[in-house]
């Protein structure tokens, strides 16, 4: 019972001269001939196998399994003799199944590398990696289950590979290290799949491999502000709505404010900003949200930027960023109720109007043009609340997995390891910690 291997009975345990524990055991299952299936009781010889096994009480143990080589009871059986075995120790196997399963589970569930699992188990890397492949095959689906919210993002797995063409002397790309990743945003499947390359055709190729029924279930697709992904989605998922991740919208607005501030400093001082410049000293405050500023910090921004005409341009860009955020903050996660489309478009119009009143700032006009091109996708993101945050977090796990492995040479191994890493959080048992969520009420109708 303590040994925990079905069909095996421990007969002795002793401490060897070097301090290792030696466990002697025998097989208790009937000896069945693998050739004819007849049970035999004729012992031909005793042999001792020493398969590698899991640790016993935290220490390495020598597993000595005494097996009987039997004579087949059937006279016409082509196998004259055979050696008895158990499922945990198959014939000609020097590693127990439970040790391989343990090594595979360490890679899949705990997140260590196959090399570390092999060192810990005292087996070779190919054995540990094969065990991980078997473990992963039982977890990952061959075909992803239907999803309502799909996330698309890009991921880089190293540098591209090139070779020089002997005839033309030009370099030809052998492998594109960019991968397009597809994520399940509202389920526990994590990373659904990857495709090499990051063109619209590459993205559409993966979507085309899914069944029509699977594509029809996709309602919203969350992407960055990337025309390549939008083109592929419109081509392969015509019934799905596209939502732009709002983080990248705010990031673009913050970048615009920084561009205006840097240009203002160059016009004022004829150089780039440095410590001691008032405009340079408030650069971090300009990146923060208005509601996160204290009254003293807000007054510092106004006093600094209002002192010069160039600084006033930076203040105008900062106000434009906050007007854009006013539209994005209508989402249910912030307000607690689902907004209507008209509310979002009205606040976006306020942002456009402010940019039009300050048409002399080129960076602001560029920002307004970009927001106008993606207005429908931004409205979808605000009204539906679909975000690509899950995809971004899983993309971070993919990069972390590559660092653990010191890079991947085999794309198939990389995809398998990354997909397992992206489902690890949902496969872990719950800690029982209560989580608080904000209840979203029904849509509020505003009259006026």
């Amino acid at each position: 019972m303590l040994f925990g291997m079905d069909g095996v009975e421990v007969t002795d345990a002793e401490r060897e001269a070097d301090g290792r524990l030696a466990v002697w055991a025998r097989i208790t299952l009937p000896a069945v001939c693998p050739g004819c299936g007849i049970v035999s009781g004729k012992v031909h010889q005793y042999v001792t196998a020493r398969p590698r096994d899991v640790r016993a009480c935290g220490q390495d143990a020598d597993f000595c399994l005494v097996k009987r080589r039997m004579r087949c009871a059937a006279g016409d059986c082509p196998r004259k003799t055979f050696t008895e075995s158990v499922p945990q120790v198959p014939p000609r196997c020097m590693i127990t199944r439970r040790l391989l399963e343990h090594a595979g589970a360490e890679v899949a569930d705990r997140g260590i590398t196959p090399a570390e699992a092999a060192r810990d188990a005292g087996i070779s890397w190919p054995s540990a990696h094969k065990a991980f492949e078997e473990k992963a095959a039982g977890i990952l689906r061959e075909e992803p289950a239907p999803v309502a919210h799909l996330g698309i993002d890009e991921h880089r797995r190293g540098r591209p590979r090139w070779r020089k063409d002997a005839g033309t002397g030009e370099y030809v790309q052998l492998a594109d290290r960019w991968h397009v990743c597809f994520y399940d945003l509202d389920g526990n499947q994590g990373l659904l799949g990857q495709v090499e390359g990051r063109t619209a055709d590459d993205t559409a190729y993966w979507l085309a491999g899914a069944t029509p029924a699977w594509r029809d279930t996709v309602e919203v697709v969350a992407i960055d502000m990337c025309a390549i992904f939008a083109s592929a989605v419109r081509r392969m998922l015509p019934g799905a709505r596209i939502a732009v991740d709002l983080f990248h919208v705010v990031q673009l607005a913050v970048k615009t404010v920084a561009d205006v501030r840097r240009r203002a400093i160059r016009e004022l001082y004829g150089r780039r900003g440095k410590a001691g410049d008032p405009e340079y000293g408030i650069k971090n405050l300009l990146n923060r949200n208005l509601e996160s500023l204290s009254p003293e910090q807000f007054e510092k921004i106004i006093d600094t930027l209002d002192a010069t005409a160039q600084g006033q341009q930076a203040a105008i860009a900062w106000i434009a960023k906050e007007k854009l955020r006013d539209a994005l903050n209508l989402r249910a996660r912030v307000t607690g109720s689902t907004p209507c489309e008209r509310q979002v478009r009205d606040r976006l119009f306020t942002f456009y109007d402010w940019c039009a009143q300050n048409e002399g700032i080129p960076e602001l006009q560029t920002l307004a043009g970009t927001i106008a091109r993606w207005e429908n996708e931004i409205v979808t993101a605000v009204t539906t609340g679909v975000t690509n945050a899950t995809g971004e977090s899983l993309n971070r796990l993919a990069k972390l997995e590559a660092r653990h492995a010191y890079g991947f040479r085999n794309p198939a191994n990389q995809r398998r390891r990354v997909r397992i890493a992206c489902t690890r959080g949902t496969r872990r048992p719950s800690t029982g910690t209560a989580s608080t969520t904000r209840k979203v009420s029904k849509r509020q109708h505003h009259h006026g």
Side-chain angles (χ1 to χ4, degrees), residues 310-328:
Q310 292 82 357
Q312 291 174 4
Q313 291 189 9
I316 291 172
W318 180 62
I319 295 174
K321 180 200 72 168
E322 293 302 325
K323 288 184 177 294
L324 177 60
R325 288 189 60 251
D326 287 342
L328 306 184

Side-chain angles (χ1 to χ4, degrees), residues 87-359:
Q88 280 289 339
V89 189
R92 296 177 296 277
C93 183
M94 296 306 297
I95 306 174
T96 62
R97 289 299 307 169
R98 63 184 183 184
L99 179 58
L100 292 174
E101 293 170 358
H102 173 74
E106 287 285 276
V107 180
D109 299 334
R110 202 157 68 87
I112 66 175
T113 63
E116 184 178 353
R119 287 193 299 267
D120 182 68
I123 59 180
S124 64
W125 183 92
S127 298
H129 191 267
K130 184 178 180 181
F132 163 65
E133 290 180 351
E134 295 176 356
K135 177 72 174 180
I139 298 174
L140 302 177
R141 291 173 174 263
E142 289 293 335
E143 297 295 335
V147 297
H149 298 159
L150 177 67
I152 303 179
D153 200 1
E154 59 187 10
H155 166 67
R156 188 171 184 175
R157 53 168 295 267
R159 297 180 179 178
R161 293 178 56 195
W162 303 83
R163 70 171 178 84
K164 189 174 182 179
D165 188 276
T168 62
E170 297 180 354
Y171 285 91
V172 180
Q173 190 177 52
L174 295 178
D176 186 358
R177 296 302 188 184
W178 284 100
H179 278 190
V180 176
C181 305
F182 302 85
Y183 302 101
D184 178 12
L185 300 182
D186 55 358
N188 57 2
Q189 298 184 82
L191 179 64
L192 301 175
Q194 294 175 293
V195 63
E196 190 170 344
R198 55 171 177 171
T199 66
D201 291 338
D202 295 327
T203 307
Y205 172 79
W206 189 92
L207 295 173
T211 62
W214 189 92
R215 294 197 297 266
D216 291 341
T217 59
V218 179
E219 300 175 0
V220 182
V221 181
I223 63 173
D224 302 342
M225 302 176 75
C226 178
I228 292 175
F229 296 157
S231 174
V233 171
R234 294 189 182 103
R235 187 195 316 174
M236 301 307 304
L237 304 174
R241 303 168 64 187
I242 300 177
V244 168
D245 190 66
L246 299 183
F247 168 81
H248 294 86
V249 179
V250 177
Q251 185 184 46
L252 181 62
V254 171
K255 179 180 180 299
T256 300
V257 176
D259 291 341
V260 176
R261 178 188 58 79
R262 282 191 287 265
R263 180 172 59 81
I265 291 179
R266 286 191 176 275
E267 291 178 358
L268 276 174
Y269 307 108
R271 54 168 173 77
R272 60 182 298 178
K274 64 180 182 180
D277 297 338
E279 298 80 6
Y280 186 84
I282 63 170
K283 65 173 185 177
N284 292 330
L285 294 179
L286 294 176
N287 294 339
R288 299 178 63 179
N289 300 330
L290 177 61
E291 61 272 15
S292 302
L293 296 174
S294 65
E296 294 77 12
Q297 292 172 334
F298 177 77
E299 185 177 355
K300 182 179 180 180
I301 291 177
I302 298 301
D303 292 343
T304 302
L305 297 182
D306 197 46
T308 61
Q310 292 82 357
Q312 291 174 4
Q313 291 189 9
I316 291 172
W318 180 62
I319 295 174
K321 180 200 72 168
E322 293 302 325
K323 288 184 177 294
L324 177 60
R325 288 189 60 251
D326 287 342
L328 306 184
N329 285 339
L330 286 173
R331 60 190 186 275
R333 185 177 180 182
V334 178
T335 63
S337 61
T338 304
C340 66
E341 182 177 332
R342 179 179 177 181
Q343 290 176 286
V344 184
R345 294 191 186 275
D346 285 346
R347 292 201 180 183
L348 286 177
F349 176 79
T350 304
F351 162 75
Y352 296 142
D353 184 61
W354 177 260
C355 294
Q357 294 176 24
N358 300 276
E359 59 182 359

Side-chain angles (χ1 to χ4, degrees), residues 35-54:
C36 60
I38 298 178
V39 178
S40 175
K42 301 178 180 180
V43 180
H44 174 68
Q45 188 181 6
Y46 287 93
V47 294
T48 301
R50 297 177 181 268
R52 186 75 181 175
D53 198 12
V54 296

